[in-house]
Amino acid sequence: MHSPALAQLDTDTLPDIVTNENRASAGTLTGGVLELDLEARTGVWRPEKSDGPGLVVHAFAEEGGSPRIPAPLVRVPEGTELRIRIRNRIADMPLVVHGLHTRPGEVGDTLQIPPAGEREVRFQAGAPGTYFYWATTTGAPTTVERVSDEAQLGGAFIVDPRGGSVAEDRVFVIGIWLDPDDRREEARFGDAKVRRAAVVNGLSWPHTERFRYAVRDSIRWRWINASDRPHPMHLHGSYFLVESRGDAVRDTIYQEEERRLGVTETMQAGGTFTLLWVPERPGNWLFHCHTLAHMSPEFRPGSAAPAEGRHTKNHALGGMAGLVLGVEVLPSTTAEPVVPPPVRRHVRLVAAVDPGRYGTEPGYGFLLDEGGVTPAYPGRPGPPLVLTRGEPVQITVVNRLPEPTSVHWHGIELESYFDGVADWSGMPERLAPAIAPGDSFVVQMTPPRTGTFIYHTHFDELRQLTSGMYGALIVLEPGQSFDPRTDRVLLLSNDGPAPVPNLLLNGKQAPELELEIGTTYRLRLISIAAHGARVVSLSAGDDPVSWRAIAKDGADLPPAQRLAKPARQLIGVGETYDFEYTPEAPGTLRLEVRQRGELVLAGIIKIAR
Ligand SMILES: [Cu+2]
């Protein structure tokens, strides 16, 4: 998987690798031709700057410059010819370079460069879009097979539309690095021995670039997943529009009516997407990968202790690591101060312990208290929290856990202070605290749209969330009431904080549902598992049944996208999808959840007359 010689290299003689904010194209553009000299070298990379170790990896440099992670940005207007020379200065390793060709292109279009060799390539840029180039020293056919020394050999390739000015945007490349001294199958979720890094533009939170925008700024972010695994990217407190989706060699830029809103977008390994975001509420916000390990100290190369987050002084800075970006949105100078509307409804949400749920480990969870009878112990998932659009609600979060916590209202557009990231949410002069054991925190919100959302802990997530601290948050129209007969939540989560926990649907490994012929159901599909992207399907015999997509992440789909289609949906962590389904024949449906093709959960749905 890596060159044996690498471990013996004297790091003092290796060049420092610098990180790359992807602000300006490498090379020289004259007369419609970009000339660029690249070289692949070995160097020392510090994803946590001076707070963490130097990692010996391969990286691309512009000839004469420092090696960079991600690799030098190649950004040209449509119609440009590119002339790129590449030298392989990695000792004794052949280099295979993918992606230096016209777009759209073919996956297998590569350049082979022997050790100490050099190649030149000339090509037309091709179609506008967000792409990337990458290389391997081990013959990896895709980025999925690259995990250690070679995994940061890659950078963005952006083709801007002809005539249009270069948009004010930013380009982000996601990378994952695993310690080459550990075999990959051991380098799994929950394994404290393994050193790893998860980076955005070469850096791990809290060292990632910080952003400052003003309310109503137009933000365009291009995201490139050059890593070996999927990343569901989640924005707090606002929706974004998905403008494009693609991969290294092709891109689809959506027409206006094809775009849709989301708060979480899953990029498969090797995938790309562009989001447009106009922040409406001031304060501190996060954009992060919702795979819990990728946002936890678990992925700190400088720390082998994933539980460190529990004892940190500042949850936001010390309790998270990896694929997290911090954004401060400045208030508009012309806006009228917002007067909070009078609260009409009060809810108590109690974080509580279910002793012995996972053997020696306690279960955690939520109890809902609106004055009636509440169970003694929390179940999992937590009870659905049903709110009304436009109705101001006050939620008192009571912490009966033996440790601090906080609750995030995933997908809800609300004031930053109530967003649930301890020591981060709010304004710099007034940040929300963690909720201490025995203490409580009062949240106010007025949900502005109906739909399917999630409430969950945002504190030491890798342990608290997998221990059961999540539930569906459903917002209905005024006058509507929640009818559990026709309104069905299908919530995917994990069975406890074990290293490789089972997947559950509504808390069960083999769920059974009953539906009736001729009744139209709203199925609210939610994934709040620890990691991964999975395909959920409903089938009769060998064929999927048909359902109609109606919403994504709580936002109604535009009419043109509300299509009947086979009941099969890829869902990443932190995503929600709503479907309408009307059973038409009696019998038994199979509910299946697959990850990378492998069956990870099977349930049945009985259709009664
Ligand atoms: Cu991730």
Side-chain angles (χ1 to χ4, degrees):
M1 195 46 94
H2 70 114
S3 68
L6 216 57
Q8 276 86 55
L9 286 174
D10 179 1
T11 54
D12 291 345
T13 65
L14 292 174
D16 285 333
I17 296 172
V18 299
T19 55
N20 177 10
E21 292 184 346
N22 284 321
R23 287 175 184 273
S25 183
T28 316
L29 181 64
T30 32
V33 177
L34 182 87
E35 301 249 12
L36 172 61
D37 291 284
L38 289 175
E39 53 186 32
R41 305 175 63 181
T42 304
V44 179
W45 169 45
R46 295 186 180 277
E48 296 182 294
K49 298 185 177 168
S50 58
D51 284 357
L55 309 175
V56 177
V57 299
H58 309 310
F60 277 112
E62 223 180 320
E63 202 165 74
S66 295
R68 288 174 178 271
I69 293 178
L73 170 67
V74 178
R75 183 163 194 165
V76 295
E78 189 181 2
T80 302
E81 181 189 336
L82 295 96
R83 297 179 189 166
I84 302 180
R85 275 172 300 278
I86 309 147
R87 290 174 65 197
N88 177 8
R89 295 183 59 194
I90 299 170
D92 305 327
M93 303 291 280
L95 193 68
V96 181
V97 185
H98 293 246
L100 294 180
H101 52 71
T102 303
R103 297 302 192 278
E106 294 304 321
V107 170
D109 191 345
T110 59
L111 295 170
Q112 327 278 325
I113 311 174
E118 184 178 320
R119 288 285 305 270
E120 180 175 329
V121 61
R122 294 181 177 209
F123 59 96
Q124 295 294 322
T130 303
Y131 313 100
F132 65 100
Y133 66 100
W134 61 279
T136 170
T137 56
T138 61
T142 72
T143 63
V144 173
E145 291 79 15
R146 300 187 315 165
V147 289
S148 60
D149 320 341
E150 56 174 352
Q152 312 308 317
L153 276 168
F157 174 29
I158 309 293
V159 182
D160 288 306
R162 195 194 310 262
S165 60
V166 174
E168 274 291 321
D169 64 13
R170 294 302 304 270
V171 179
F172 302 96
V173 178
I174 289 179
I176 292 278
W177 173 88
L178 302 180
D179 191 329
D181 294 332
D182 284 275
R183 284 178 40 239
R184 190 175 182 202
E185 48 270 39
E186 291 167 358
R188 277 154 76 159
F189 177 71
D191 186 340
K193 296 191 303 294
V194 180
R195 289 197 310 166
R196 340 142 180 231
V199 295
V200 178
N201 286 348
L203 293 167
S204 172
W205 173 268
H207 304 283
T208 47
E209 188 180 350
R210 293 293 171 82
F211 293 85
R212 183 178 269 193
Y213 295 108
V215 162
R216 288 196 283 280
D217 276 356
S218 283
I219 300 164
R220 172 186 275 121
W221 283 354
R222 298 172 188 261
W223 283 86
I224 294 169
N225 179 5
S227 82
D228 64 324
R229 56 196 71 192
H231 301 291
M233 303 305 295
H234 172 55
L235 178 63
H236 279 226
S238 287
Y239 282 85
F240 52 77
L241 268 173
V242 179
E243 190 193 40
S244 74
R245 280 183 67 91
D247 58 28
V249 299
R250 55 191 67 237
D251 201 11
T252 302
I253 299 168
Y254 299 125
Q255 301 300 310
E256 211 135 302
E257 66 276 11
E258 298 172 312
R259 296 176 183 171
R260 56 169 174 69
L261 291 169
V263 298
T264 308
E265 187 72 10
T266 297
M267 280 188 292
Q268 294 286 24
T272 68
F273 85 109
T274 304
L275 69 83
L276 303 174
W277 172 36
V278 180
E280 287 167 15
R281 280 161 295 276
N284 287 338
W285 302 103
L286 293 181
F287 185 72
H288 66 84
C289 177
H290 218 290
T291 288
L292 301 182
H294 301 169
M295 59 174 294
S296 299
E298 167 93 345
F299 262 81
R300 269 200 67 192
S303 163
E308 191 185 57
R310 245 177 283 180
H311 309 294
T312 183
K313 282 207 189 89
N314 180 305
H315 166 68
L317 301 182
M320 299 188 292
L323 306 180
V324 181
L325 291 188
V327 180
E328 182 190 352
V329 176
L330 303 171
S332 153
T333 49
T334 56
E336 299 287 315
V338 178
V339 181
V343 171
R344 282 186 275 157
R345 186 171 162 208
H346 295 262
V347 177
R348 279 162 61 88
L349 188 69
V350 181
V353 177
D354 180 6
R357 185 197 288 160
Y358 303 115
T360 54
E361 293 285 314
Y364 287 174
F366 290 105
L367 298 164
L368 202 51
D369 178 359
E370 285 198 271
V373 179
T374 52
Y377 298 119
R380 52 126 204 241
L385 175 56
V386 182
L387 304 178
T388 301
R389 183 177 62 79
E391 182 184 79
V393 59
Q394 180 173 302
I395 304 170
T396 303
V397 181
V398 180
N399 182 7
R400 289 202 198 128
L401 306 177
E403 59 187 275
T405 192
S406 65
V407 179
H408 171 54
W409 319 93
H410 182 115
I412 299 285
E413 299 145 282
L414 79 182
E415 202 184 308
S416 170
Y417 187 72
F418 302 120
D419 185 51
V421 184
D423 303 324
W424 178 261
S425 297
M427 309 291 265
E429 63 277 12
R430 180 175 175 254
L431 298 177
I435 313 171
D439 209 346
S440 63
F441 180 75
V442 176
V443 172
Q444 292 197 17
M445 68 173 87
T446 305
R449 71 178 84 215
T450 59
T452 303
F453 308 93
I454 312 167
Y455 65 94
H456 65 78
T457 176
H458 212 288
F459 197 95
D460 194 7
E461 291 90 333
L462 195 54
R463 213 174 39 86
Q464 286 193 357
L465 197 149
T466 55
S467 296
M469 294 186 69
Y470 46 78
L473 197 171
I474 294 165
V475 181
L476 300 176
E477 283 294 341
Q480 232 185 351
S481 60
F482 183 69
D483 182 354
R485 200 182 64 85
T486 56
D487 203 326
R488 300 294 180 94
V489 172
L490 303 174
L491 184 148
L492 293 171
S493 66
N494 284 120
D495 189 12
V500 188
N502 287 320
L503 191 70
L504 303 175
L505 190 140
N506 295 349
K508 298 193 174 70
Q509 280 183 46
E512 277 190 41
L513 281 77
E514 282 190 26
L515 305 179
E516 283 174 19
I517 289 181
T519 301
T520 296
Y521 293 88
R522 184 176 185 124
L523 305 179
R524 301 177 185 267
L525 186 57
I526 296 172
S527 176
I528 190 67
H531 62 95
R534 301 171 175 88
V535 175
V536 177
S537 63
L538 294 188
S539 49
D542 290 337
D543 299 318
V545 298
S546 176
W547 61 18
R548 181 178 298 277
I550 53 176
K552 158 80 165 90
D553 293 348
D556 290 340
L557 292 174
Q561 296 176 33
R562 295 174 148 238
L563 302 174
K565 55 182 186 179
R568 184 192 296 277
Q569 180 63 53
L570 177 75
I571 182 167
V573 180
E575 290 187 292
T576 76
Y577 285 90
D578 287 28
F579 297 99
E580 266 176 15
Y581 172 57
T582 309
E584 284 163 1
T588 302
L589 305 185
R590 263 202 339 278
L591 188 162
E592 290 187 348
V593 185
R594 290 179 180 271
Q595 190 164 9
R596 284 181 242 101
E598 191 186 319
L599 187 68
V600 289
L601 183 142
I604 57 170
I605 299 181
K606 290 181 182 156
I607 310 293
R609 282 187 189 280

